[in-house]
Structures are given as structure tokens and as C-alpha cells.
Amino acid sequence: MSDFQEPIYQTGGHTQAGAPRWVGLAVAVLGGVSVLGLGVGLSALNHVNNIQQSTEAAVKQSTEALSQRLAKDDEINQQLQSDLKVVTDKLNLTQTQLVAARKQTKATTVAVDKKLNGLESSVNSQLATKANTDDVNKLNGDVTGVKSDLDATKNSIQMARSEMGTLIARNHDEIDQLRRMGQRDYFEFTVTRKAGAERVGSIQVELRDTNTKKNQYSINVLADDKSFEKKNRSVNEPIFFYTGGSRAALELVVNKVSKTTASGYLSVPKPAGATSASASTPGQ
């Protein structure tokens, strides 16, 4: 009998034809294909879900990173705008102070010259009417003293002013003039390169390098257990810093540099009610 021939069954004297075998095989094959298709579909669905979750996570992470970067950029931009405003205000203030200082210097110089000329005329007139040699010598001495004081005042007026409004001395004589004003204490110094930190007043100064061609130097300042370095600073350019919680700034000025040394002064604000004092470090 053929595998695909319908079997014949006899029941109660009647003959019946059974279902062919290929039908069962077809049903089994279709069932297997359905199960396989269902598995493939579930696997594909899971794969799609995993891809979607990974994509969403990546997009979320990228969005958060972008938001953080935008926030940081915005913060930097605001800080730059604030710094720019401070610099602009400071430049405007410095320019205004410079113009005012120039006007004041010019007016004071004219007044001093006028006063000096008037004094000389008055002295000459008095000398013409005096016959006594002692009186003449006394008047000459008075004139010389007054002229010296006026010259000193005139020289101090012609000194450059820093951005803090302080006068900048360029040599020992001008330092003495500022010292006589009694507003600040001045400590003159000479430090040597490779000599380590050397005491100047209440601080220490260490000379790192000098450039005689450009009149520049690099220096390290130690104050209140802290240190800061200033590189390639120019001669007669003041360096301002604060110590001990003082509201008034200390001022360090180097007037002269050589291959191995730097000379200048430290200007310290006087405490309230303090008397005038002159001081210099040993070795001057």
C-alpha cells in the first residue's frame, strides 16, 4: 500500500476510508513553522526593543552632556562679561585719574614757578635796600633754603603716580623725599640672584632672574607664609600686594637691575597714628 493511499477500515460490515498520512505531516510541518516564526518574531521584537532602549539612553546621555556644556559655556560667558566690565571700568577710572593728575601737576608747577619768581624778585628788592653784609648773607641763606624746599616739592609733584595713586620714586633721593612726607615707611634693598630669599621689612624677596637689555626682572615675594612670583616685570613698575589683613596695599618697586642684582624699595602704609620712621635693610 502507498504511504499516500487512504487506509480502508471495516466497521460493522461497512467500509470507511481514513485520512491520508500527508495531511498529518502537513499539519505537523505547519505547526513547526508557526512555532519557529513566532520565536523569530519574538527575538526580532526583543532586538528592536533593545536597540530602542540603547538609542534612547544614548540620546538622553548626549542631551544631558549637551545641556551641561551649554550651562558651562553660559557660565564662562557670564564670567567673561563680568571680567570685561571690571577691566573696562578700571581702564576708564585709570584714564580719568591720569588726566586729573596731569592737570594737577601742570597747575601746581605753574604755581610753584610763579611763587619762586615772586620770591626771587622780593629778595632782590630787599638786597638792593640792605647795606649790611650780615643781612645780605642771611637773606641769601633764607632764599637758598626756600628754593631747596620748593625744588623738592616740585620734584615730588613731577614724580609718576601708580594706579593706586602713590608716588613712584626712581632713585635714593626721591625715596628720601617720599620718606620726609611721612605718609608711608620705605625700606630700601638690594637682592642677589641665587642668594635665596632675603628679608626686606616684614617680608622676604627672592630674585629669580634679570634682563638688563630690557630692564626687566623676575622676583618671588614671600609674605604671611604665602609666596607669589612676578615674571618679566619692568623697572620702576610697582607691584602691589596685601599682608596681615591690611586694607592698604604694600608696594614693591625695583629701580635698577644688573646681571646678578636688583635694587629698589618696599613702601609700607603706616598704622593709624604712627610717627614717621625711616628704615633700610642691612647692607645698603
Side-chain angles (χ1 to χ4, degrees), residues 79-98:
Q79 183 64 38
L80 289 175
Q81 291 180 355
S82 177
D83 293 344
L84 179 60
K85 185 177 183 303
V86 171
V87 172
T88 302
D89 292 342
K90 188 173 181 180
L91 287 175
N92 291 334
L93 179 60
T94 302
Q95 185 177 8
T96 302
Q97 291 176 341
L98 180 60

Side-chain angles (χ1 to χ4, degrees), residues 107-273:
T108 307
T109 302
V110 171
V112 169
D113 290 339
K114 185 176 180 180
K115 185 175 181 180
L116 183 59
N117 292 333
L119 181 61
E120 289 178 349
S121 298
S122 177
V123 170
N124 291 332
S125 177
Q126 292 182 39
L127 288 175
T129 61
K130 293 291 184 179
N132 191 299
T133 304
D134 293 337
D135 292 339
V136 173
N137 292 334
K138 182 179 179 181
L139 286 174
N140 283 332
D142 293 340
V143 170
T144 302
V146 172
K147 288 182 66 176
S148 298
D149 292 340
L150 289 175
D151 288 340
T153 303
K154 187 175 180 180
N155 289 335
S156 66
I157 291 173
Q158 292 176 346
M159 290 182 190
R161 286 186 178 270
S162 68
E163 61 181 13
M164 293 290 189
T166 58
L167 293 171
I168 303 174
R170 295 160 295 186
N171 50 52
H172 175 73
D173 292 337
E174 291 184 352
I175 293 173
D176 281 342
Q177 292 179 21
L178 296 181
R179 186 178 285 125
R180 285 194 294 269
M181 292 181 181
Q183 297 177 354
R184 297 171 71 92
D185 288 329
Y186 293 86
F187 299 84
E188 296 181 70
F189 65 85
T190 296
V191 291
T192 305
R193 187 161 55 93
K194 297 182 180 180
E198 301 179 61
R199 181 162 294 279
V200 178
S202 61
I203 67 170
Q204 290 182 306
V205 177
E206 181 182 3
L207 181 62
R208 293 292 182 86
D209 193 16
T210 59
N211 188 329
T212 55
K213 292 183 178 180
K214 296 183 178 180
N215 270 340
Q216 292 181 340
Y217 64 95
S218 297
I219 202 167
N220 189 40
V221 179
L222 297 89
D224 292 341
D225 297 328
K226 297 180 181 179
S227 65
F228 59 91
E229 185 176 5
K230 296 294 184 179
K231 294 183 178 180
N232 300 325
R233 300 303 293 262
S234 298
V235 168
N236 295 327
E237 177 186 0
I239 299 173
F240 296 99
F241 59 95
Y242 295 84
T243 61
S246 174
R247 294 183 179 180
L250 281 72
E251 181 180 2
L252 182 71
V253 180
V254 170
N255 301 126
K256 183 180 179 181
V257 295
S258 67
K259 292 183 178 180
T260 58
T261 64
S263 301
Y265 66 91
L266 173 68
S267 171
V268 180
K270 286 189 175 183

Side-chain angles (χ1 to χ4, degrees), residues 44-98:
L45 181 60
N46 290 333
H47 184 64
V48 170
N49 290 335
N50 291 336
I51 293 175
Q52 183 178 0
Q53 292 177 358
S54 300
T55 303
E56 290 177 352
V59 170
K60 183 178 180 181
Q61 184 177 2
S62 299
T63 303
E64 291 177 352
L66 181 60
S67 299
Q68 293 177 358
R69 183 173 181 180
L70 289 175
K72 186 175 181 180
D73 290 343
D74 184 62
E75 181 180 355
I76 294 175
N77 184 43
Q78 292 179 359
Q79 183 64 38
L80 289 175
Q81 291 180 355
S82 177
D83 293 344
L84 179 60
K85 185 177 183 303
V86 171
V87 172
T88 302
D89 292 342
K90 188 173 181 180
L91 287 175
N92 291 334
L93 179 60
T94 302
Q95 185 177 8
T96 302
Q97 291 176 341
L98 180 60

